[in-house]
Amino acid sequence: MRIQDKVVVVTGAAGGIGRALALRFAAEGAAGVVVADLDEAGAAAVAKEIGDRAVHVQVDVASEAQVAALADTPFGPVDLFCSNAGIIGGHGLDASDQEWSSLYAVNVMAHVYAARAVVPSMVARGGGYLLNTCSAAGLISCPGDAPYAVTKAAAVAFAEWLAIHYAGKGVKVSVLCPQGVRTAMLERGVEEDHLTARAVNASGAILDPADVATSVIEGLAAERFHIFPHPEVAEYARRKAEDPDRWLAGMSHFVDSLEA
């Protein structure tokens, strides 16, 4: 997948990773970039940075109708849909039912809505690409945030299902699984001294969103299912697969050390 002359949709694009992706896709020569976010003013600012090859759309990705509308772009059919919007919860067993529902809607169902919106037309045209931001948490859990860990794991599982069923029809799928990235979400966790933020800071480098965007360009070019801006995440996932009991014991010790 090369971005040159492609039509791209990016959700959660008003800031952080989404903004970096939108700007990088434009720099790579995208024919059009749809900058979508619940924060309309933020999305408009990013689209203005890009110029005539971008439009902004206010979207609540928990609404299937609003996600479906993103497929109708002024630039033509969608070649690459980046389902990037995501939210955190911050709780464990004390997470409310509403928190679980909200995270499930944004972190899982938004990917389902995106696939429903664009996969049929991609198949009809002979190809297309889905990039789903699933976080390292989707593969190796998330200390301190049960709804986030579970919904991101579900997002990875859905992407796997899509890849299995649609690769033969020309639709490619990648999951973006970064660890620590310098975003407002992480900064808020650091300010609150949240266990999740402590875990992220203790686990490796904190990347700039632009670095993540570079990894995405490379991963899309290679059409890799897993895109790892933090290479160590691949090693963590390998250890988990090889010896789940040892991995769980190690994670438990890690969390205990953070809470000490």
Side-chain angles (χ1 to χ4, degrees), residues 139-204:
L139 297 172
I140 56 173
S141 197
C142 180
D145 196 329
Y148 190 78
V150 173
T151 56
K152 289 299 186 177
V156 172
F158 178 62
E160 291 171 346
W161 187 92
L162 286 171
I164 290 167
H165 286 79
Y166 289 97
K169 298 177 176 65
V171 179
K172 304 294 185 180
V173 183
S174 291
V175 290
L176 174 59
C177 299
Q179 199 162 237
V181 182
R182 196 167 286 108
T183 64
M185 186 184 295
L186 178 59
E187 289 172 355
R188 186 165 62 251
V190 170
E191 289 173 2
E192 297 172 355
D193 192 29
H194 195 279
L195 178 63
T196 300
R198 274 184 269 157
V200 169
N201 279 325
S203 297

Side-chain angles (χ1 to χ4, degrees), residues 42-115:
V46 175
K48 185 176 181 180
E49 284 187 75
I50 294 172
D52 293 341
R53 287 180 296 125
V55 295
H56 77 277
V57 179
Q58 183 179 36
V59 62
D60 178 357
V61 296
S63 163
E64 180 166 15
Q66 292 185 37
V67 174
L70 295 175
D72 183 18
T73 85
F75 309 111
V78 177
D79 297 299
L80 170 63
F81 195 110
C82 301
S83 189
N84 170 75
I87 57 174
I88 58 173
H91 297 93
L93 290 179
D94 57 333
S96 68
D97 288 356
Q98 181 56 50
E99 186 171 313
W100 278 99
S101 296
S102 296
L103 266 73
Y104 186 77
V106 174
N107 294 351
V108 181
M109 291 308 299
H111 298 303
V112 177
Y113 299 153

Side-chain angles (χ1 to χ4, degrees), residues 5 8 10 12 24 32 35 54 70 91 112 123 133 146 159 175 185 187 234:
D5 298 326
V8 185
V10 185
R24 183 60 183 269
V35 182
L70 295 175
H91 297 93
V112 177
V123 170
T133 299
V175 290
M185 186 184 295
E187 289 172 355

